Amino acid sequence: YKEITTIGKGAFGKVYLAKNLKTDKKFAIKELLFEHLEGRQLKLFCREVQILAKCHNLFLLPFRGFTLNFPYSIVTEYITNGSLYEALRHRPKAPSLSPTHKTIIALGIANGMCHLHELNIIHRDLKSLNILLDENYYPKICDFGIARFKAESNQPVTQQIGTPHWMAPELFLKNNYDSKVDVYAYAIILWEMITEKIPFMGLNPMQIMTAVCQNH
């Protein structure tokens, strides 16, 4: 592979666009900054790879491989038209979405999430930023970094995980939530597509939690 450009950076490392030198096909490579994976970081890496490997659906980001040595990386297909979030904000180079496009995107997200839930996988960070659009403007759900398999009845789950603007009340308050938190996030995405506004714009995380959990 040859690195072309950096797509994004975060506390975990970076995501960059790369090209296969033999086929010229483009891929997105998520490269972790950790020289040694152990403990929680190793658990999260293995879980993300395991979930991606099970995601055989038109509307889930296609998985292409991972590395077992430093730099620890996850390889997926490169999706050309950026995120739904960017399209709804009418960012430069983002596609312009017609009502028909939005309807297809909504149906595609529902289909992809239904497949995840049938596999007992909870995404936990479903949002317009994590919906990529391909050359046909079909959605590809991505970023399974905090996704998890549905907990057993006696196994605790993490509270306050995700992005506040799309988080269901039980993600803020409870430790016994289930896949319905993704249904709530999907509803927020539908609201976004109708209004083309940012949910809870101008509010900080604490204000969002108050609006959602106390003011309903």
Side-chain angles (χ1 to χ4, degrees):
Y1 292 100
K2 178 184 178 182
E3 181 175 345
I4 298 174
T5 186
T6 299
I7 300 172
K9 289 183 178 180
F12 64 86
K14 68 174 182 177
V15 179
Y16 61 88
L17 173 63
K19 183 172 68 173
N20 185 302
L21 296 176
K22 292 183 178 180
T23 65
D24 281 340
K25 188 172 177 61
K26 293 179 179 178
F27 297 89
I29 300 181
K30 177 180 178 179
E31 186 178 285
L32 305 186
L33 55 79
F34 308 101
E35 288 193 25
H36 303 285
L37 275 184
E38 54 190 10
R40 174 173 168 77
Q41 296 303 330
L42 176 60
K43 180 180 178 181
L44 290 175
F45 180 79
C46 292
R47 182 192 287 167
E48 184 171 4
V49 168
Q50 189 179 5
I51 287 173
L52 278 165
K54 290 177 175 287
C55 292
H56 303 296
N57 180 277
L58 177 63
F59 304 110
L60 300 175
L61 183 64
F63 174 60
R64 291 296 174 257
F66 66 101
T67 62
L68 288 170
N69 303 300
F70 178 80
Y72 295 96
S73 305
I74 294 174
V75 183
T76 61
E77 283 195 8
Y78 174 65
I79 308 301
T80 55
N81 276 316
S83 71
L84 175 60
Y85 181 92
E86 292 166 332
L88 294 175
R89 309 286 96 75
H90 302 284
R91 296 278 174 83
K93 298 182 180 180
S96 179
L97 301 178
S98 69
T100 299
H101 289 138
K102 290 180 180 180
T103 302
I104 292 169
I105 290 167
L107 290 169
I109 298 170
N111 186 286
M113 290 306 301
C114 188
H115 178 74
L116 279 184
H117 289 172
E118 286 172 353
L119 296 172
N120 287 322
I121 295 168
I122 310 173
H123 190 288
R124 299 200 294 181
D125 199 21
L126 183 64
K127 56 187 177 182
S128 55
L129 286 157
N130 286 340
I131 307 296
L132 303 178
L133 302 175
D134 69 9
E135 63 276 9
N136 298 311
Y137 302 164
Y138 287 177
K140 304 287 184 181
I141 301 166
C142 70
D143 199 347
F144 299 93
I146 62 171
R148 65 165 295 152
F149 291 97
K150 186 177 179 181
E152 300 295 333
S153 58
N154 61 348
Q155 183 179 352
V157 291
T158 309
Q159 284 180 270
Q160 298 188 7
I161 190 167
T163 307
H165 302 72
W166 292 268
M167 281 170 57
E170 56 267 41
L171 273 171
F172 286 110
L173 300 175
K174 299 179 181 179
N175 60 2
N176 61 346
Y177 56 82
D178 58 21
S179 59
K180 291 177 184 178
V181 299
D182 290 337
V183 179
Y184 177 98
Y186 176 68
I188 298 293
I189 291 172
L190 294 180
W191 179 90
E192 273 187 277
M193 288 200 287
I194 292 168
T195 65
E196 297 195 345
K197 295 179 180 179
I198 298 172
F200 302 105
M201 193 167 89
L203 301 185
N204 63 39
M206 186 60 67
Q207 290 170 326
I208 294 172
M209 184 174 74
T210 300
V212 170
C213 301
Q214 295 182 19
N215 300 336
H216 309 291

